[in-house]
């Protein structure tokens, strides 16, 4: 019980220390992030080793100090090949809103409690949602009052992003594997193909700096 109380106190102190350090999330040195299908720590998971150049130390007063990886406010991109742990890291960050017991492996992983994971949800209903920030035109509906019984991946993700922001989210987690690719980014060739349909619209990647300027940070995992 003493170990549990100390672990919770440290996690709460870490979250409280984030704003003063300009951080939106923190992953402690030695954390074990990979999970099994039942949510327990994967036994062969290696402890996190933070590169010296990225290492930060947070002083927690009577609770001591903790060293690890600090994610700055703004836009953070995690790039890597498949099966290199990008999604695992995002899942650990999403769980960082909650406290974890000793031995969980994530008891030194914390983030802003308003964190929201945004993904495409093909087929979800949308009612009178203003999507004009991202879409200049949408077939069959006014983008300022978009209504659809079965939304596409792009429009569903746009709606989820805007709803998270309206709810007060200060940290968005986005995994390319579960996102709508054409909502994240349009390369110059694709913009040429879609022509006037894209005029006046913006992809999410293009909007991330503006969101950061308004205090909404993003952690984006990409393999492409």
């Amino acid at each position: 019980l003493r170990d549990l109380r100390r672990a919770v106190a440290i996690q709460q102190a870490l979250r409280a220390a984030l704003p003063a350090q300009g951080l939106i999330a923190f992953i402690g040195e030695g954390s074990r992030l990979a999970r099994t299908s039942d949510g327990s720590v994967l036994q062969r998971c290696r402890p996190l080793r933070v590169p010296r150049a990225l290492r930060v130390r947070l002083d927690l007063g009577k609770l001591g100090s903790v060293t690890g990886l600090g994610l700055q406010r703004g836009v953070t991109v995690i790039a890597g090949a498949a099966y290199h742990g990008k999604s695992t890291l995002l899942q650990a960050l999403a769980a960082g809103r909650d406290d974890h017991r000793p031995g969980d492996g994530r008891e030194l992983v914390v983030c802003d409690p308003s964190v929201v994971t945004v993904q495409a949800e093909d087929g979800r209903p949308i009612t009178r949602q203003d999507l004009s920030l991202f879409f200049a035109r949408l077939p069959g509906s006014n983008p300022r009052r978009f209504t659809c019984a079965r939304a596409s991946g792009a429009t569903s993700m746009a709606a989820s992003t805007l709803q998270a922001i309206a709810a007060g989210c200060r940290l968005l987690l986005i995994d390319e594997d579960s996102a709508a690719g054409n909502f994240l980014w349009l390369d110059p060739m694709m913009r040429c193909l879609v022509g006037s349909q894209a005029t006046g619209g913006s992809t999410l990647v293009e909007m991330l700096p503006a969101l950061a300027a308004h205090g909404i940070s993003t952690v984006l995992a990409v393999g492409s």
Side-chain angles (χ1 to χ4, degrees):
L1 182 58
R2 284 194 298 269
D3 290 343
L4 177 60
R5 292 179 62 182
R6 177 175 172 79
V8 170
I10 288 174
Q11 290 170 81
Q12 293 179 350
L14 284 172
R15 285 193 199 90
L18 293 178
Q21 301 297 321
L23 303 177
I24 199 71
F26 178 86
I27 307 168
E29 183 91 25
S31 295
R32 301 173 67 199
L33 306 182
R35 304 284 105 180
T36 63
S37 58
D38 64 3
S40 59
V41 62
L42 189 67
Q43 291 304 308
R44 64 177 182 273
C45 172
R46 295 182 180 181
L48 176 70
R49 296 176 59 188
V50 181
R52 185 180 301 274
L54 300 178
R55 199 175 298 162
V56 299
R57 182 182 295 273
L58 298 182
D59 184 4
L60 306 181
K62 294 181 179 179
L63 294 171
S65 60
V66 180
T67 301
L69 174 66
L71 300 186
Q72 297 286 331
R73 287 195 293 260
V75 181
T76 299
V77 179
I78 305 166
Y83 299 101
H84 277 63
K86 303 185 302 298
S87 298
T88 297
L89 180 56
L90 284 190
Q91 291 163 8
L93 289 175
R97 67 167 67 89
D98 302 316
D99 296 325
H100 300 283
R101 69 184 189 280
D104 176 86
R106 300 170 297 182
E107 58 267 40
L108 293 179
V109 181
V110 297
C111 70
D112 188 289
S114 70
V115 61
V116 172
T117 299
V118 178
Q119 60 187 15
E121 300 176 80
D122 297 77
R124 65 159 284 193
I126 298 176
T127 303
R128 297 181 64 83
Q129 176 72 50
D130 185 354
L131 302 184
S132 60
L133 181 67
F134 296 110
F135 301 103
R137 299 175 182 83
L138 285 170
S141 184
N142 185 337
R144 293 188 178 277
R145 297 184 299 276
F146 182 71
T147 298
C148 184
R150 294 180 57 82
S152 67
T155 53
S156 67
M157 191 170 175
S160 295
T161 301
L162 293 167
Q163 288 162 4
I165 293 170
C169 171
R170 294 183 298 276
L171 175 58
L172 298 171
L173 302 181
I174 302 169
D175 191 337
E176 182 185 41
D177 290 344
S178 58
N182 59 335
F183 175 63
L184 277 183
W185 175 255
L186 288 176
D187 61 35
M189 179 61 73
M190 183 57 70
R191 281 199 176 277
C192 181
L193 289 174
V194 298
S196 61
Q197 292 301 312
T199 302
S202 299
T203 64
L204 181 56
V205 167
E206 291 169 332
M207 291 300 300
L208 293 185
L211 292 177
H214 284 81
I216 302 165
S217 299
T218 305
V219 179
L220 172 64
V222 295
S224 62

